[in-house]
Amino acid sequence: MILDHRKALVVFSGGQDSTTCLFWAKKHFDEVRALCFRYGQKHEVEVDIARGIAERTGVPFEEKDVHFISQLSSGCSLTDTSIQMDEERRGNLPPNTFVPGRNLFFLSIAAVYAREHGIMNIVTGVSQTDFSGYPDCRDSFIRSLNVALNLAMEEQFVIHTPLMWIDKAETWKLADELGVFDIVRNETLTCYNGIKGDGCGLCPACKLRRHGLEEYLKQRRNY
Ligand code: ZN
């Protein structure tokens, strides 16, 4: 399979991070596609939000049903409504918002999809900086998976992680530089309670997002 270095596939959820990555990819590549996963997340409205953003941006959008991922393990508060969400990691353990294998499955499926469409570049919004205990957001994991995927399919995929070493405030700055600050602020869904834009303000995802936003707005005022 000949992979085109001008084409990119974005693993897209409609949240702040992957939406910023979608616009980053549009700036750096000639042809961009978005792939979204329905894995049993509590708020499947995020898939509709993702589709809406992709459509308005003129990016071909596809969703894949991967519910089996959350059926493989129990105890995840993102997919099981009866479990109270952890605010942070529990000792050395990841918080219960961790879905074991999620990024491993997402990126593996994305690579097979990319191969089918002749796409060389795969873009994901994972970040090690705000590392909240998710082992599959670390740079070492992404690098080793990139090697493994290339070996698995005898290909030359390149996984891009534009947010790997920047924090939430810098992610807002990147969105602003890409000219999409308002779209990211108003149209994306990061909140674990399923509220678009600034969200519920109380869940761990909202707190992290708001903290970064306030930090960035403060920096912006000082210039
Ligand atoms: Zn929230």
Side-chain angles (χ1 to χ4, degrees), residues 12-13 36-44 46-47 63-72 76-80 97-100 102-103 105-106 109 192:
F12 186 49
S13 70
C36 183
F37 295 103
R38 212 178 263 279
Y39 62 93
Q41 58 269 60
K42 272 182 197 167
H43 301 289
E44 294 213 339
E46 74 179 48
V47 177
E63 67 173 79
K64 294 283 173 219
D65 189 315
V66 292
H67 272 82
F68 71 91
I69 295 174
S70 45
Q71 288 158 2
L72 289 170
C76 171
S77 62
L78 274 198
T79 52
D80 184 339
T97 46
F98 176 56
V99 182
R102 182 170 53 177
N103 283 331
F105 286 117
F106 283 7
I109 293 166
Y192 287 150

Side-chain angles (χ1 to χ4, degrees), residues 191-192 200-201 203 206:
C191 174
Y192 287 150
C200 75
C203 74
C206 278

Side-chain angles (χ1 to χ4, degrees), residues 88-135:
E88 50 197 30
R89 39 194 320 197
R90 297 162 291 164
N92 284 326
L93 297 170
N96 66 11
T97 46
F98 176 56
V99 182
R102 182 170 53 177
N103 283 331
L104 176 67
F105 286 117
F106 283 7
L107 289 165
S108 301
I109 293 166
V112 177
Y113 181 94
R115 182 181 181 277
E116 182 62 25
H117 290 86
I119 300 169
M120 179 180 281
N121 303 287
I122 299 167
V123 183
T124 170
V126 298
S127 172
Q128 182 159 336
T129 308
D130 281 323
F131 181 59
S132 39
Y134 300 136

Side-chain angles (χ1 to χ4, degrees), residues 2-180:
I2 296 170
L3 303 179
D4 191 330
H5 69 277
R6 295 163 305 177
K7 293 184 180 176
L9 178 68
V10 180
V11 178
F12 186 49
S13 70
Q16 177 191 357
D17 294 342
S18 67
T19 303
T20 304
C21 286
L22 185 77
F23 288 102
W24 178 89
K26 276 177 70 76
K27 184 183 169 188
H28 289 92
F29 302 102
D30 295 341
E31 264 185 69
V32 176
R33 280 174 178 264
L35 188 62
C36 183
F37 295 103
R38 212 178 263 279
Y39 62 93
Q41 58 269 60
K42 272 182 197 167
H43 301 289
E44 294 213 339
V45 62
E46 74 179 48
V47 177
D48 301 324
I49 285 172
R51 187 187 299 104
I53 294 169
E55 277 171 4
R56 286 193 295 279
T57 314
V59 170
F61 176 89
E62 194 151 341
E63 67 173 79
K64 294 283 173 219
D65 189 315
V66 292
H67 272 82
F68 71 91
I69 295 174
S70 45
Q71 288 158 2
L72 289 170
S73 43
S74 58
C76 171
S77 62
L78 274 198
T79 52
D80 184 339
T81 44
S82 67
I83 300 172
Q84 180 78 29
M85 253 178 269
D86 283 342
E87 295 261 330
E88 50 197 30
R89 39 194 320 197
R90 297 162 291 164
N92 284 326
L93 297 170
N96 66 11
T97 46
F98 176 56
V99 182
R102 182 170 53 177
N103 283 331
L104 176 67
F105 286 117
F106 283 7
L107 289 165
S108 301
I109 293 166
V112 177
Y113 181 94
R115 182 181 181 277
E116 182 62 25
H117 290 86
I119 300 169
M120 179 180 281
N121 303 287
I122 299 167
V123 183
T124 170
V126 298
S127 172
Q128 182 159 336
T129 308
D130 281 323
F131 181 59
S132 39
Y134 300 136
D136 59 351
C137 288
R138 286 180 293 190
D139 190 54
S140 55
F141 162 70
I142 298 293
R143 285 168 185 265
S144 74
L145 182 62
N146 199 154
V147 172
L149 290 170
N150 288 348
L151 289 171
M153 287 177 269
E154 193 62 35
E155 296 290 359
Q156 295 295 321
F157 296 111
V158 181
I159 302 181
H160 298 266
T161 52
L163 313 183
M164 183 59 79
W165 303 112
I166 66 176
D167 63 18
K168 275 280 184 279
E170 291 165 313
T171 303
W172 283 110
K173 181 166 184 257
L174 177 60
D176 210 1
E177 285 164 359
L178 291 165
V180 294

